[in-house]
Amino acid sequence: MTPSHRVRIQNIYLEALELPDSERTAFVAKKCAGDSDCIRDVNSLLEAAARPSILDVPVVEAGWAPDNLVGTTIDDRFKVHKELTPSGMGKVYLAHNLQLPGRFVVIKVLPHTSKKDPDAVRRFKREVEALTLISHPNVVTVIGTNDLKDGKPYIVMEYIDGPTLRSEILSGGMGVKRAAGLIKQIGAAVGHVHDKGILHLDLKPENIMLQLLSDSTEVVKIVDFGIAKIKDSVGATGAINTVPIGTLAYMSPEQLRDGERVTTASDVYSMAVVACEMITGNRPQQPDPASGQRRQKRVDLPMGISAEARKVIERALSFDPEKRYQSAKQFGDELAEALLRGEQNGPRDQRWPPLRKWLRVVGGVVIVALLAYAVYILLPPPPPPPLQSKGFNYWLTVQRTRDGKDYQEPYKSNGDDVFDNGDKFQLSVQSLYSGYLYIFNEGQPEAGGNTFRLIHPKRAVTDGSASVGGNHTVQTDWITFRGPAGTDNFWIVWSVSPLSELESAVNEALQHPQAGLTGQNLVKVKEYLRNQDAEVNARAAKIKASQEVQVRKRSDIVLTRAEFKHR
């Protein structure tokens, strides 16, 4: 791949990332102008970016393929409970630790097909080696590693009960104080990794998880060392970058160029990109490695960030790796301190100006204030600030139809669209923390049908249990918009413990052929949901970039009523 071709696909890929899934195929085809190699390479990067973290935990019905381990016990210690989302290099399972009741672990296994791929085996062994060398509170802990009876290697890791950093970054970024605390932890973790002679080389929000302790403290956990390089390791390819690998939007310039050396400064660069996204909600523009183009002199940070913090970030984003911080811990500490000082100090005091100048200043301030107030009244309010609280994310996967047949490709939506009769969708709800999840559908009246139904839990999927783990994603069956034009309401309820007011309704619905509610149970559930909605008053923020809705509240119960309109 020539440098100019790589730069071209890089630019198309970054532009495509900002579009909804439904628009990407046409956009890539247009931008590539019929170049099949370009289309293939860009789509390959988009598919890689769509892969979730190895610790994402959706609720799925595990198939019984020959190499499926669900229901088995590994090493007489780990009872495999369910299969999680596959990672790039293996199958991933959630298991109970039989020696420590109530404790979960994650087991990652190299599948049969990958054993025939020398590179896959090498990367898997590299991840095992990297994790066994590291012992740090901000890095996922490896519990053990061995081979199954059929020879497939596996690794056992701690289960992180919490969301990824990606799910906590809103369109406007995160609160500065919260970001500073997390950046400091990330720097400490990456610095320790470097001290062990390891380069991560794929730092991004998807590979940084957040564990919420009982006192509401957030603990960073770095995961996924699948492409790490290890000093003096037989599994590493050395310090020279032979093939660009990683996540394009977060890769350092030297990672994008063949034959260049990657160092600790390469991870510092990726950290700085992540830090910009945490603070502003946006990534800085990637420099062009072929032309030698350098990053803009000033990074676009939100108002209120001190000049000192800007200098720290700009240094870490230097095009020349030798001019960057060589220590990830130093970068994390200095940026965190600069951000917090900027919060505390605020604007510096100015000398008292002469009276005439002072009056001009006051007059100008009054005019600006009146204009700002007018703008505030006329324009819609800004998105709500990120909250350090419990909750969930939800989104729709929509399939448009024409004359009863599927039309175009399914796409992701936050529910803002107005749908047509006959369109169908799947509702996905991601629970950020372990708890109990209930979903009810209050649809349009149908002849002979129930208008208020239980959607989750389902006996066939969860054996009727509302229990969900941290970062679990529940996905409904396909639901079709039908009946008179109007609104379909979905009540989504998350709780730290079972809700007796809803459990009795669940028991009735599980016995009903349509999972419907009737009689007194129906009256009680509707009344309970409306009262709780008014009392909790959770914040729901629609994120345009990800087409998700984030629902947050500092409460043991978080709920919302999602409304989807159809005509």
Side-chain angles (χ1 to χ4, degrees), residues 36-50:
S36 59
D37 289 339
C38 172
I39 294 172
R40 182 197 65 232
D41 292 341
V42 174
N43 286 335
S44 177
L45 289 172
L46 290 171
E47 289 171 9

Side-chain angles (χ1 to χ4, degrees), residues 203-502:
L203 292 170
K204 56 184 178 180
E206 289 79 1
N207 286 340
I208 300 170
M209 300 196 69
L210 304 178
Q211 188 173 38
L212 190 67
L213 304 184
S214 57
D215 62 354
S216 296
T217 301
E218 283 186 302
V219 178
V220 162
K221 292 284 185 177
I222 307 292
V223 301
D224 206 339
F225 286 75
I227 66 170
K229 290 185 183 290
I230 308 171
K231 184 179 180 181
D232 300 325
S233 167
V234 296
T237 57
I240 299 298
N241 190 44
T242 54
V243 178
I245 187 169
T247 303
L248 201 59
Y250 300 90
M251 290 166 65
S252 64
E254 59 270 20
Q255 284 177 268
L256 293 168
R257 296 189 292 254
D258 295 346
E260 290 215 10
R261 184 173 296 276
V262 289
T263 66
T264 57
S266 304
D267 278 342
V268 169
Y269 182 98
S270 301
M271 275 184 60
V273 177
V274 172
C276 281
E277 196 167 7
M278 292 170 67
I279 299 166
T280 69
N282 297 306
R283 294 185 297 268
Q285 186 179 359
Q286 189 84 315
D288 182 340
S291 66
Q293 172 189 342
R294 295 177 181 270
R295 185 178 298 280
Q296 58 191 33
K297 291 183 178 180
R298 297 190 67 82
V299 179
D300 186 16
L301 296 176
M303 293 181 63
I305 302 299
S306 66
E308 182 183 358
R310 294 176 184 273
K311 290 179 181 178
V312 172
I313 293 175
E314 288 167 4
R315 176 182 169 186
L317 292 174
S318 172
F319 191 77
D320 184 351
E322 292 185 0
K323 294 181 180 179
R324 294 180 213 140
Y325 288 89
Q326 304 303 303
S327 165
K329 185 178 187 306
Q330 181 188 2
F331 167 59
D333 288 347
E334 289 192 12
L335 179 55
E337 291 169 7
L339 289 170
L340 293 176
R341 275 198 294 270
E343 281 281 287
Q344 294 167 359
N345 295 341
R348 295 180 179 178
D349 292 334
Q350 302 290 329
R351 287 187 176 183
W352 189 267
L355 181 59
R356 184 175 298 175
K357 290 185 178 180
W358 183 80
L359 290 174
R360 289 175 182 171
V361 170
V362 171
V365 169
V366 170
I367 292 172
V368 170
L370 290 173
L371 289 173
Y373 181 73
V375 170
Y376 172 79
I377 293 297
L378 295 173
L379 293 182
L387 301 176
Q388 298 183 46
S389 54
K390 301 164 187 172
F392 51 86
N393 303 330
Y394 75 83
W395 63 92
L396 297 181
T397 301
V398 180
Q399 174 63 68
R400 294 284 190 175
T401 62
R402 282 188 177 179
D403 300 323
K405 296 181 180 180
D406 292 350
Y407 173 70
Q408 297 181 336
E409 294 295 317
Y411 67 93
K412 190 175 181 181
S413 169
N414 62 19
D416 261 350
D417 313 46
V418 177
F419 305 100
D420 293 321
N421 238 11
D423 288 347
K424 54 187 179 181
F425 66 94
Q426 289 179 301
L427 172 66
S428 296
V429 181
Q430 179 189 40
S431 171
L432 300 185
Y433 305 106
S434 295
Y436 293 80
L437 184 66
Y438 307 87
I439 306 175
F440 297 93
N441 172 216
E442 187 174 10
Q444 296 294 307
E446 294 183 47
N450 285 84
T451 60
F452 201 98
R453 300 183 300 131
L454 175 71
I455 302 299
H456 179 83
K458 294 181 68 175
R459 191 177 300 283
V461 179
T462 64
D463 198 27
S465 172
S467 176
V468 291
N471 223 25
H472 283 207
T473 298
V474 173
Q475 186 176 63
T476 70
D477 296 330
W478 286 101
I479 300 171
T480 302
F481 287 109
R482 54 167 55 98
T487 301
D488 275 22
N489 297 323
F490 282 79
W491 288 96
I492 307 171
V493 187
W494 178 91
S495 173
V496 297
S497 58
L499 296 173
S500 58
E501 296 86 352
L502 298 183

Side-chain angles (χ1 to χ4, degrees), residues 56-207:
D56 283 351
V57 188
V59 175
V60 298
E61 294 187 64
W64 286 89
D67 60 342
N68 194 288
L69 299 177
V70 174
T72 65
T73 300
I74 297 176
D75 199 22
D76 296 324
R77 183 180 175 188
F78 305 110
K79 177 77 171 180
V80 179
H81 178 56
K82 63 176 64 175
E83 184 180 348
L84 310 182
T85 300
S87 75
M89 292 185 300
K91 303 194 76 172
V92 185
Y93 299 92
L94 181 69
H96 291 101
N97 188 335
L98 299 179
Q99 295 180 4
L100 296 171
R103 293 286 185 91
F104 288 93
V105 296
V106 169
I107 301 178
K108 185 174 178 180
V109 183
L110 187 69
H112 280 298
T113 53
S114 298
K115 288 180 66 179
K116 300 176 183 179
D117 182 354
D119 184 60
V121 174
R122 197 160 47 241
R123 290 175 62 190
F124 190 89
K125 289 183 176 180
R126 188 184 311 152
E127 180 170 19
V128 172
E129 183 179 359
L131 286 172
T132 53
L133 290 172
I134 301 168
S135 178
H136 192 274
N138 296 122
V139 179
V140 62
T141 301
V142 61
I143 297 171
T145 180
N146 208 335
D147 293 337
L148 299 176
K149 293 179 180 179
D150 60 4
K152 293 196 300 288
Y154 69 86
I155 181 172
V156 183
M157 298 172 285
E158 68 172 315
Y159 169 61
I160 310 300
D161 187 6
T164 62
L165 177 61
R166 165 63 64 212
S167 68
E168 296 298 292
I169 298 177
L170 300 181
S171 57
M174 308 172 71
V176 172
K177 289 183 179 179
R178 184 186 184 197
L182 297 179
I183 288 167
K184 188 177 181 70
Q185 292 187 54
I186 295 169
V190 177
H192 177 81
V193 169
H194 291 167
D195 289 343
K196 295 297 181 179
I198 301 167
L199 303 177
H200 190 285
L201 300 182
D202 197 19
L203 292 170
K204 56 184 178 180
E206 289 79 1
N207 286 340

